[in-house]
């Protein structure tokens, strides 16, 4: 099964004030679909944890072509594209009842040894016959480059708590996106849809960590670019570029 498909109806708690699917909610859906597909293919959580290793999401690039809204019936399809240099690549396409593409995404993953905290590169981790080289987005997610000529503004500080932490004991990747959206001016985030975003996960955060959220805003020809970096002391936990 090279492709894995799930059907959903958008619930109210996954939408914003404009009834649109939140970026955080899409990331949660994608994360679960990726995990379920990996289980079917023999390299899911239970398979890796035997060797004290786990999947770690490193980079995400999402294009919101026409963000679905509350009560819409959607289909999320995912597949993996194998090992590309350091990263294992996995793509996603979300379509509506008419088969129209509404959201596309590409993600880059690493395998981490949970004891040594070292990366594991194993070309034999997945069978070659499970790879699908089709692209939802042709280019892998890039490194976010924060603007050098814009002074960042401290939006707020967030203390990692119970609601942020996942089964691996650190803040879940989707929560970083939630903090980033909260760092955007509400008038922008609630009224203007995110058209595109790229997020890099640089360092894990755990319960009790205080994460300072810094915001950069740049108006460009293709839209309003909002960058958010989350830092624990002087260490960058994540950075994201959003285009509204």
């Amino acid at each position: 099964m090279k492709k894995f498909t799930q059907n959903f109806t958008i619930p109210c708690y996954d939408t914003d004030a404009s009834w649109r699917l939140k970026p955080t909610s899409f990331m949660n859906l994608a994360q679960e679909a990726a995990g379920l597909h990996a289980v079917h293919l023999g390299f899911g959580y239970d398979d890796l944890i035997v060797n004290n290793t786990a999947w770690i999401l490193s980079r995400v690039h999402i294009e919101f072509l026409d963000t679905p809204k509350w009560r819409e019936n959607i289909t999320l399809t995912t597949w993996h594209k194998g090992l590309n240099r350091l990263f294992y690549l996995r793509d996603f396409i979300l379509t509506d009842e008419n088969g129209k593409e509404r959201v596309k995404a590409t993600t880059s993953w690493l395998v981490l040894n949970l004891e040594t905290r070292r990366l594991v590169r194993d070309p034999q981790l997945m069978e070659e016959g499970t790879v699908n080289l089709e692209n939802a987005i042709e280019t892998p997610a890039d490194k976010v480059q924060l603007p050098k000529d814009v002074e960042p503004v401290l939006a707020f500080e967030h203390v990692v708590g119970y609601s942020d932490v996942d089964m691996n004991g650190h803040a879940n990747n989707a929560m970083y996106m939630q903090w980033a959206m909260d760092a955007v001016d509400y008038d922008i985030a609630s009224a203007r849809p995110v058209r595109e975003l790229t997020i890099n996960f640089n360092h894990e955060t755990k319960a009790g960590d205080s994460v300072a959220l810094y915001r950069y805003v740049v108006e460009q020809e293709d839209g309003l670019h909002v960058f958010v970096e989350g830092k624990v002391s002087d260490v960058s936990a994540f950075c994201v570029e959003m285009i509204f």
Side-chain angles (χ1 to χ4, degrees):
M1 183 174 57
K2 288 188 176 182
K3 288 189 175 182
F4 180 82
T5 300
Q6 283 187 302
N7 298 314
F8 303 92
T9 300
I10 303 292
C12 61
Y13 53 79
D14 276 334
T15 62
D16 62 16
S18 298
W19 295 15
R20 288 187 291 261
L21 180 70
K22 296 176 182 178
T24 302
S25 299
F26 175 80
M27 289 184 64
N28 276 324
L29 293 175
Q31 178 178 223
E32 183 66 8
L36 291 173
H37 191 208
V39 168
H40 280 287
L41 296 177
F43 46 83
Y45 176 86
D46 293 333
D47 302 290
L48 267 65
I49 201 65
V50 170
N51 295 314
N52 208 27
T53 56
W55 288 108
I56 302 296
L57 185 57
S58 180
R59 297 178 181 178
V60 178
H61 179 202
I62 307 173
E63 295 180 2
F64 295 91
L65 309 176
D66 181 11
T67 307
K69 294 188 174 183
W70 179 39
R71 293 175 175 167
E72 283 198 65
N73 296 317
I74 57 169
T75 299
L76 180 62
T77 303
T78 184
W79 60 96
H80 85 88
K81 301 192 294 186
L83 184 62
N84 182 306
R85 305 170 95 178
L86 285 176
F87 299 110
Y88 297 87
L89 304 182
R90 173 173 287 276
D91 282 11
F92 302 83
I93 292 181
L94 190 152
T95 55
D96 60 22
E97 290 180 300
N98 299 315
K100 179 183 176 183
E101 293 183 0
R102 305 290 291 276
V103 184
K104 300 192 299 183
T106 186
T107 57
S108 303
W109 301 72
L110 301 166
V111 177
L112 183 72
N113 184 298
L114 298 177
E115 273 189 7
T116 65
R117 314 308 291 179
R118 293 181 180 274
L119 298 180
V120 176
R121 293 184 73 250
D122 182 5
Q124 307 304 316
L125 179 64
M126 50 191 66
E127 295 182 11
E128 187 173 333
T130 66
V131 173
N132 179 10
L133 295 179
E134 178 182 348
N135 294 317
I137 297 176
E138 186 171 349
T139 305
D142 206 352
K143 183 177 181 180
V144 174
Q145 301 288 344
L146 296 172
K148 296 180 179 179
D149 55 349
V150 178
E151 190 69 25
V153 174
L154 177 61
F156 64 92
E157 294 193 20
H158 176 81
V159 177
V160 180
Y162 171 84
S163 298
D164 301 308
V165 175
D166 64 14
M167 57 193 292
N168 293 316
H170 53 67
N172 183 266
N173 66 78
M175 299 311 299
Y176 291 81
M177 193 64 236
Q178 180 167 305
W179 306 341
M181 289 298 297
D182 287 343
V184 178
D185 285 341
Y186 181 77
D187 290 344
I188 295 173
S190 61
R192 299 173 63 168
V194 178
R195 296 194 351 255
E196 189 173 348
L197 70 85
T198 302
I199 184 168
N200 298 167
F201 302 99
N202 302 323
H203 199 277
E204 66 183 6
T205 61
K206 298 182 178 181
D209 285 347
S210 180
V211 184
L213 284 301
Y214 294 92
R215 179 181 65 236
Y216 307 70
V217 180
V218 182
E219 187 74 60
Q220 297 187 16
E221 290 184 3
D222 62 342
L224 184 69
H225 290 238
V226 181
F227 299 79
V228 176
E229 182 179 28
K231 300 179 74 174
V232 179
S233 299
D234 291 327
V235 177
S236 177
F238 77 97
C239 53
V240 58
E241 178 182 7
M242 298 167 277
I243 305 176
F244 290 86

